[in-house]
Amino acid sequence: SYELTQPLSVSVALGQTARITCRGNNIGKKNVHWYQQKAGQAPLLVIYRDINRPSGIPERISGSNSGNTAALTISRAQAGDEADYYCQVWDSSTAVFGGGTKLTVL
Amino acid sequence: QLQLQESGPGLVKPSETLSLTCTVSGGSISSSGYYWGWIRQPPGKGLEWIGNIYYSGSTYYNPSLKSRVTISVDTPKNQFSLKLKSVTAADTAIYYCARRGTMAVAGLDYWGQGALVTVSS
């Protein structure tokens, strides 16, 4: 079965740039989706199909995907960006999630 | 605005069957191209996909849960449901229902607020 690997935690200083990675075998050939989950809330889709933002998601949040690594980049980090972030792909019509990364804004 | 709402018992005894329903409002569950699914999250842990259903009844399940899971759809009621049999404490989790967008999006673009289900005698 397909596996996605994320770092457990990432820290970023207020106003700086955070990068959260998601590693998988040839993940560049798949469409990657990213979710933000704040404490006590349901996940929220923030990036779909590698680079696209749903309506209402700020341009500060961007995605990339190539080779064996996809990444979510959050520029000008704010306190409100503190959350767990999950990557996800579809593999043979089944969903696979990464283990999640806790983003701390210092 | 599309909304999803989970409902069902919050406490289930070990070895029994967990049953949840997701009611969709603000849109039709029969809309072409959308799949409707269940995801769960044990307390303090990550997300685990359970399965999807199309309004026609086609289903896809997580291989690790397939033997215990049934997802069904009730189009007149605009609802879909989850049954998980032979539950244990390891099935204690927040259960979310969600919509998978069309191929143009393909991510899970709408989620319910989640329902905590505890397995305990």
Side-chain angles (χ1 to χ4, degrees):
Chain A
S1 61
Y2 196 79
E3 293 185 358
L4 297 173
T5 301
Q6 297 181 237
L8 283 176
S9 63
V10 169
S11 296
V12 61
L14 192 67
Q16 296 303 302
T17 299
R19 184 173 184 264
I20 298 171
T21 58
C22 176
R23 300 181 189 275
N25 186 37
N26 285 325
I27 195 173
K29 295 185 178 181
K30 296 182 178 295
N31 290 317
V32 179
H33 316 290
W34 289 93
Y35 303 89
Q36 176 193 70
Q37 186 179 32
K38 296 183 179 180
Q41 297 183 18
L44 173 71
L45 180 68
V46 294
I47 292 289
Y48 65 91
R49 294 181 65 202
D50 300 338
I51 60 171
N52 300 282
R53 282 181 302 276
S55 174
I57 302 302
E59 293 184 7
R60 303 186 295 108
I61 296 178
S62 61
S64 63
N65 186 17
S66 179
N68 292 317
T69 304
L72 179 73
T73 300
I74 302 173
S75 304
R76 303 183 297 282
Q78 302 175 359
D81 296 326
E82 198 160 276
D84 294 326
Y85 291 84
Y86 295 89
C87 58
Q88 180 254 316
V89 301
W90 294 98
D91 180 63
S92 300
S93 297
T94 63
V96 179
F97 286 98
T101 299
K102 182 175 181 60
L103 178 67
T104 300
V105 180
L106 304 172
Chain B
Q1 177 77 348
L2 191 75
Q3 292 186 331
L4 289 76
Q5 178 68 57
E6 305 89 350
S7 59
L11 181 64
V12 181
K13 290 182 169 54
S15 81
E16 296 190 346
T17 296
L18 179 159
S19 297
L20 292 172
T21 296
C22 183
T23 300
V24 179
S25 59
S28 174
I29 204 169
S30 302
S31 296
S32 179
Y34 296 103
Y35 283 78
W36 307 89
W38 293 95
I39 301 96
R40 70 180 182 178
Q41 184 172 35
K45 296 188 177 181
L47 301 171
E48 181 181 31
W49 181 76
I50 299 171
N52 276 352
I53 191 165
Y54 196 59
Y55 76 90
S56 63
S58 298
T59 53
Y60 299 92
Y61 297 132
N62 184 327
S64 68
L65 297 170
K66 187 174 183 177
S67 63
R68 298 194 293 131
V69 171
T70 302
I71 297 176
S72 58
V73 64
D74 187 334
T75 50
K77 292 184 177 180
N78 228 30
Q79 295 176 334
F80 62 104
S81 298
L82 168 70
K83 289 189 185 300
L84 180 66
K85 65 182 181 181
S86 306
V87 297
T88 69
D91 295 309
T92 293
I94 298 173
Y95 285 76
Y96 296 100
C97 58
R99 186 185 81 167
R100 175 183 177 180
T102 63
M103 288 307 295
V105 173
L108 300 166
D109 57 359
Y110 284 91
W111 294 66
Q113 65 184 25
L116 174 62
V117 179
T118 302
V119 178
S120 175
S121 56

